[in-house]
Amino acid sequence: MATSKVLGYLESRKNLTGGALGLVGLVLTFTGVAGPYWPVVVAGLYGAGALIAPPERPAPPAFPDPSAQLDAVREDFGKLGGYLADVDLPPTPAARLTELTDLLAALLEPGWVAEALARDPEGVHALSRAVRQDVPEAVDAFVRTRWWTRLTPGTEPPELHLERQLSLLREEAERLASALRDAEARRQETHTRYLEDRSK
């Protein structure tokens, strides 16, 4: 541990800057400027260099890039599919859920769509939130509420809330797909303008 700290200091900016100014002090000594006080001059210049050198900057944390995050979301989407297969839903919410999961599966499908999505960190976050939080929470809340509703008939059916939640999630996924489509259209238009400008 102590050896690594010593080696770290030897490679640090402070030591390198101090060493460079210490060499200037040696040059001043050999030219006769420092005189008999050359050790003080060399040590003083080394210390000044070590003080004025910028501090070491710690390396930023290595977070996974969006494509690696998409791989993890794709894996979690597979787990979500297994969970949803075991849940018994009424026909209308089941149809809405199928529409939503089909759209999410299309967005997560490996290939150029995933590559376009990987360039949009906000889109990756929205998709991750839908897969890992929003859809499981909506379905689980429905299952729990449906059980309580059977004990207290006459209350508002929980299917209505689930249908609304799934519709909102589908609209959000459609907005994401639309934004990706628009980004690709802008990319195509930009390339067309570039080729037109180049041919002038």
Side-chain angles (χ1 to χ4, degrees):
M1 184 72 169
T3 306
S4 64
K5 286 187 177 181
V6 170
L7 290 175
Y9 180 76
L10 290 176
E11 297 174 349
S12 71
R13 295 177 185 173
K14 291 187 173 298
N15 184 48
L16 294 176
T17 306
L21 286 182
L23 286 175
V24 170
L26 287 176
V27 169
L28 292 176
T29 300
F30 292 127
T31 58
V33 176
Y37 302 107
W38 70 270
V40 175
V41 171
V42 171
L45 286 173
Y46 175 85
L51 287 174
I52 65 170
E56 291 297 317
R57 183 179 60 85
F63 295 119
D65 64 347
S67 60
Q69 292 176 6
L70 268 181
D71 290 339
V73 174
R74 200 173 290 121
E75 185 178 322
D76 290 342
F77 183 68
K79 295 176 187 174
L80 176 64
Y83 164 71
L84 295 176
D86 292 337
V87 177
D88 181 33
L89 296 178
T92 305
R96 296 260 169 91
L97 182 62
T98 301
E99 293 170 358
L100 173 61
T101 54
D102 287 349
L103 183 54
L104 293 175
L107 288 170
L108 284 169
E109 186 176 329
W112 67 270
V113 176
E115 291 171 12
L117 184 59
R119 291 190 294 268
D120 180 16
E122 291 297 323
V124 173
H125 173 71
L127 199 57
S128 170
R129 184 181 59 215
V131 168
R132 293 175 173 159
Q133 179 181 345
D134 295 335
V135 174
E137 175 65 25
V139 173
D140 186 58
F142 165 76
V143 171
R144 291 170 184 261
T145 307
R146 180 175 59 177
W147 186 84
W148 287 105
T149 304
R150 290 177 182 163
L151 296 178
T152 56
T155 59
E156 186 178 25
E159 299 90 54
L160 297 178
H161 285 288
L162 180 60
E163 289 173 27
R164 182 68 182 133
Q165 291 168 3
L166 294 173
S167 296
L168 291 170
L169 289 170
R170 182 168 180 242
E171 289 170 12
E172 185 177 358
E174 286 173 345
R175 283 194 301 271
L176 175 59
S178 177
L180 291 173
R181 183 191 66 233
D182 293 346
E184 291 300 312
R186 283 193 302 273
R187 181 175 167 217
Q188 184 184 35
E189 291 167 7
T190 301
H191 190 62
T192 302
R193 282 195 300 272
Y194 164 72
L195 292 174
E196 288 171 348
D197 292 343
R198 194 173 73 179
S199 65
K200 290 179 183 177

